[in-house]
Amino acid sequence: MTSPSPIAEPHRSGCPINLALETLGDRWSLIVIRDMMFGNRRHFRELLQGSTEGIASNILADRLKRLVAAGLLTRRDDPTHRQKAIYSLTEAGIQLLPVLAQLGAWGRRHRPTTPDLAIRAQLLEEGGPALWEAFMDELRHRHLGAPDPGTRVLARLTAAHEALAAKTA
Amino acid sequence: MTSPSPIAEPHRSGCPINLALETLGDRWSLIVIRDMMFGNRRHFRELLQGSTEGIASNILADRLKRLVAAGLLTRRDDPTHRQKAIYSLTEAGIQLLPVLAQLGAWGRRHRPTTPDLAIRAQLLEEGGPALWEAFMDELRHRHLGAPDPGTRVLARLTAAHEALAAKTA
DNA sequence: TTAACTGCTTGCTATTTGCAATCGGTGGAT
DNA sequence: ATCCACCGATTGCAAATAGCAAGCAGTTAA
């Protein structure tokens, strides 16, 4: 509450990588973004119960608050249910897709991933920036009300994942 | 110290993004990698005093230990000084460059960066994957003993940064 | 009326973070 | 031989954060 210096300097440095890490450098923020992008989860309960990692509800509430404050998400009321809230990605949030794609590509190569969860990272890597742009346009449609680009990138990623998940189940 | 279950499952899930975050999802790990890549820092003291973010020595020691354990760095003795240690990037560590490039590109667009620190992210983004590969070959030369590719990507990035830093100083 | 569901909070403990000081050892200069 | 700056860390401590379990007040459909 107190402000000891005239103008508080909240940042460790002006380095782009550092500033990105100040916003995203924890174990959960990008998991939430991931689930919103690839799982199309928009409600608190969906995010809470959907992720296999099992985020705690207070952590999720805190992250959603921070991500909204940081301008990566917006929160609005759900017209169909007075108590529901809908979270949407902003343009800045959508532009995290290449970061997630590279992170997934790296994880797939260097960490012990499971096949059904790695397939999306693989398709995203093989598709390259062109596929990322198509996916980002789909996200702009779903989250920002942009016109439907007509592509089905998310549907293809999801189908590939579910086909593999069914095999191993 | 105790192992309550027969075989501990240390991972929250087998998702590539999650596994990458389990290794890199904190406020310092990628800062250390960044300084080793772009600042060519190889010693504990260089990493400690070089970064503008001011990492604490115990945190740095902990991160170096973890990154070595995770296979992103190696540690060896410095032949010129019995007490010095030299840290090197492994191939897995070097392959984090595209992640850092995307993270920097995002930070430059969406966070309040300072010009002299943003120029490297800009050049890296404009250069694209071809430039990244050249830089990674330089890193393989410096850290893994691969033949000198003869390129000067790091030198160009550093020169651009220092030119801007001199202006604003 | 009731029961399931909504986003989110609370109380609690365990872990992590960050700061400041310091450690035992090294090696160059005097 | 003695000093002293430097080496990679470690320690003690306070503050912040993470994570678990339970619960909140309000909403909706049955």
Coordinates of all heavy atoms in Angstrom, one line a residue, chain B residues 114-145:
Chain B
T114 N 13.0 -1.5 -23.1 CA 13.9 -0.4 -23.4 C 14.6 -0.7 -24.7 O 15.0 -1.9 -25.0 CB 14.9 -0.2 -22.2 OG1 15.6 -1.4 -22.0 CG2 14.2 0.2 -21.0
P115 N 14.8 0.3 -25.5 CA 15.3 0.1 -26.9 C 16.6 -0.7 -27.0 O 16.7 -1.6 -27.8 CB 15.5 1.6 -27.4 CG 14.6 2.4 -26.5 CD 14.6 1.7 -25.2
D116 N 17.6 -0.3 -26.1 CA 18.9 -1.0 -26.3 C 18.8 -2.5 -26.0 O 19.6 -3.3 -26.4 CB 20.0 -0.3 -25.4 CG 19.6 -0.4 -23.9 OD1 18.4 -0.1 -23.6 OD2 20.4 -0.8 -23.1
L117 N 17.8 -2.9 -25.1 CA 17.7 -4.3 -24.8 C 16.8 -5.0 -25.8 O 16.8 -6.2 -25.9 CB 17.2 -4.5 -23.4 CG 18.2 -4.0 -22.3 CD1 17.6 -3.9 -21.0 CD2 19.4 -5.0 -22.3
A118 N 15.9 -4.2 -26.5 CA 15.0 -4.8 -27.4 C 15.6 -5.0 -28.8 O 15.0 -5.9 -29.5 CB 13.7 -3.9 -27.5
I119 N 16.7 -4.4 -29.1 CA 17.2 -4.5 -30.4 C 17.6 -5.9 -30.8 O 17.4 -6.4 -31.9 CB 18.4 -3.5 -30.6 CG1 18.9 -3.5 -32.0 CG2 19.5 -3.8 -29.6 CD1 18.0 -3.0 -33.1
R120 N 18.2 -6.6 -29.8 CA 18.6 -8.0 -30.1 C 17.4 -8.9 -30.4 O 17.4 -9.7 -31.3 CB 19.3 -8.6 -28.8 CG 20.7 -8.1 -28.7 CD 21.5 -8.7 -27.6 NE 20.9 -8.3 -26.3 CZ 21.6 -8.3 -25.2 NH1 22.9 -8.6 -25.2 NH2 21.1 -7.9 -24.0
A121 N 16.3 -8.7 -29.6 CA 15.1 -9.4 -29.9 C 14.5 -9.1 -31.3 O 14.1 -10.0 -32.0 CB 14.0 -9.1 -28.9
Q122 N 14.6 -7.8 -31.7 CA 14.2 -7.4 -33.0 C 15.0 -8.1 -34.1 O 14.4 -8.6 -35.1 CB 14.2 -5.9 -33.1 CG 13.7 -5.4 -34.4 CD 13.8 -3.9 -34.6 OE1 14.0 -3.2 -33.6 NE2 13.7 -3.4 -35.8
L123 N 16.3 -8.0 -34.0 CA 17.2 -8.6 -35.0 C 17.0 -10.1 -35.1 O 16.9 -10.7 -36.2 CB 18.6 -8.3 -34.7 CG 19.0 -6.8 -34.8 CD1 20.5 -6.6 -34.3 CD2 18.9 -6.3 -36.2
L124 N 16.8 -10.7 -34.0 CA 16.6 -12.2 -33.9 C 15.2 -12.5 -34.6 O 15.1 -13.5 -35.3 CB 16.5 -12.6 -32.5 CG 17.3 -13.9 -32.2 CD1 18.7 -13.8 -32.6 CD2 17.2 -14.2 -30.7
E125 N 14.2 -11.7 -34.4 CA 12.9 -12.0 -35.0 C 13.0 -11.7 -36.5 O 12.5 -12.6 -37.3 CB 11.9 -11.0 -34.4 CG 10.5 -11.3 -34.9 CD 9.4 -10.4 -34.3 OE1 9.8 -9.5 -33.5 OE2 8.2 -10.6 -34.6
E126 N 13.7 -10.7 -36.9 CA 13.8 -10.4 -38.4 C 14.6 -11.4 -39.1 O 14.3 -11.7 -40.2 CB 14.4 -9.0 -38.5 CG 13.4 -7.8 -38.1 CD 14.1 -6.5 -38.1 OE1 15.3 -6.4 -38.4 OE2 13.4 -5.5 -37.8
G127 N 15.6 -11.9 -38.4 CA 16.5 -12.9 -39.0 C 15.8 -14.2 -39.2 O 16.1 -15.0 -40.1
G128 N 14.8 -14.5 -38.3 CA 14.0 -15.8 -38.5 C 14.9 -17.0 -38.2 O 16.0 -16.9 -37.8
P129 N 14.2 -18.2 -38.5 CA 14.9 -19.5 -38.2 C 16.3 -19.6 -38.8 O 17.1 -20.3 -38.2 CB 13.9 -20.5 -38.8 CG 12.6 -19.8 -38.7 CD 12.9 -18.3 -38.9
A130 N 16.5 -19.0 -40.0 CA 17.8 -19.2 -40.6 C 18.9 -18.5 -39.7 O 20.0 -19.1 -39.5 CB 17.8 -18.5 -42.0
L131 N 18.6 -17.4 -39.2 CA 19.6 -16.7 -38.3 C 19.7 -17.5 -37.0 O 20.8 -17.6 -36.4 CB 19.1 -15.3 -38.0 CG 20.1 -14.4 -37.2 CD1 21.3 -14.0 -38.1 CD2 19.5 -13.2 -36.6
W132 N 18.6 -18.0 -36.5 CA 18.6 -18.8 -35.3 C 19.6 -20.0 -35.4 O 20.4 -20.3 -34.6 CB 17.2 -19.4 -34.9 CG 16.2 -18.3 -34.7 CD1 16.4 -16.9 -34.7 CD2 14.8 -18.5 -34.6 NE1 15.2 -16.3 -34.6 CE2 14.2 -17.2 -34.5 CE3 14.0 -19.6 -34.6 CZ2 12.8 -17.0 -34.4 CZ3 12.6 -19.4 -34.4 CH2 12.0 -18.1 -34.4
E133 N 19.5 -20.7 -36.6 CA 20.3 -21.8 -36.8 C 21.8 -21.4 -36.9 O 22.7 -22.1 -36.3 CB 19.9 -22.5 -38.2 CG 18.7 -23.4 -38.1 CD 18.8 -24.5 -37.0 OE1 19.9 -25.0 -36.8 OE2 17.8 -24.8 -36.4
A134 N 22.1 -20.3 -37.5 CA 23.5 -19.8 -37.5 C 24.0 -19.6 -36.1 O 25.1 -19.9 -35.7 CB 23.6 -18.6 -38.4
F135 N 23.1 -18.9 -35.3 CA 23.5 -18.6 -33.9 C 23.7 -19.9 -33.1 O 24.7 -20.0 -32.3 CB 22.4 -17.7 -33.3 CG 22.8 -17.2 -31.9 CD1 24.1 -17.2 -31.5 CD2 21.8 -16.6 -31.1 CE1 24.5 -16.6 -30.3 CE2 22.2 -16.1 -29.9 CZ 23.5 -16.1 -29.5
M136 N 22.8 -20.9 -33.3 CA 23.0 -22.1 -32.6 C 24.2 -22.9 -33.0 O 24.9 -23.5 -32.2 CB 21.7 -23.0 -32.9 CG 20.5 -22.5 -32.2 SD 18.9 -23.2 -32.8 CE 19.1 -24.9 -32.1
D137 N 24.7 -22.7 -34.3 CA 25.9 -23.3 -34.7 C 27.1 -22.6 -34.0 O 28.1 -23.3 -33.6 CB 26.1 -23.2 -36.2 CG 25.4 -24.4 -36.9 OD1 25.2 -25.4 -36.2 OD2 25.0 -24.2 -38.1
E138 N 27.0 -21.3 -33.8 CA 28.0 -20.6 -33.0 C 28.1 -21.1 -31.6 O 29.1 -21.3 -31.0 CB 27.8 -19.1 -33.0 CG 28.0 -18.5 -34.4 CD 27.7 -17.0 -34.4 OE1 27.8 -16.3 -33.3 OE2 27.4 -16.4 -35.5
L139 N 26.9 -21.3 -31.0 CA 26.8 -21.8 -29.6 C 27.4 -23.2 -29.5 O 28.1 -23.6 -28.6 CB 25.4 -21.8 -29.1 CG 24.8 -20.4 -28.9 CD1 23.3 -20.6 -28.6 CD2 25.5 -19.7 -27.8
R140 N 27.1 -24.1 -30.6 CA 27.7 -25.4 -30.6 C 29.2 -25.4 -30.7 O 29.9 -26.2 -30.1 CB 27.2 -26.2 -31.8 CG 25.7 -26.6 -31.6 CD 25.2 -27.5 -32.7 NE 23.7 -27.7 -32.6 CZ 22.8 -27.0 -33.3 NH1 23.1 -26.2 -34.2 NH2 21.5 -27.3 -33.0
H141 N 29.7 -24.4 -31.4 CA 31.2 -24.2 -31.4 C 31.7 -23.8 -30.1 O 32.7 -24.4 -29.6 CB 31.5 -23.1 -32.5 CG 32.9 -22.6 -32.4 ND1 34.0 -23.5 -32.6 CD2 33.5 -21.4 -32.2 CE1 35.1 -22.8 -32.5 NE2 34.8 -21.5 -32.3
R142 N 31.1 -22.8 -29.4 CA 31.6 -22.3 -28.2 C 31.4 -23.3 -27.0 O 32.3 -23.3 -26.1 CB 30.9 -21.0 -27.9 CG 31.9 -19.8 -27.9 CD 31.2 -18.5 -27.3 NE 30.1 -18.1 -28.2 CZ 30.3 -17.2 -29.2 NH1 31.5 -16.7 -29.4 NH2 29.3 -16.8 -29.9
H143 N 30.3 -24.0 -27.0 CA 30.0 -24.8 -25.8 C 30.2 -26.3 -26.0 O 30.4 -27.0 -25.1 CB 28.5 -24.6 -25.5 CG 28.2 -23.2 -24.9 ND1 28.0 -22.9 -23.6 CD2 28.1 -22.0 -25.6 CE1 27.8 -21.6 -23.4 NE2 27.8 -21.1 -24.6
L144 N 30.2 -26.8 -27.2 CA 30.3 -28.2 -27.5 C 31.6 -28.6 -28.2 O 31.8 -29.8 -28.6 CB 29.0 -28.7 -28.2 CG 27.7 -28.4 -27.5 CD1 26.5 -28.9 -28.4 CD2 27.7 -29.1 -26.1
G145 N 32.4 -27.6 -28.6 CA 33.6 -27.9 -29.4 C 33.4 -28.2 -30.8 O 34.2 -28.8 -31.5

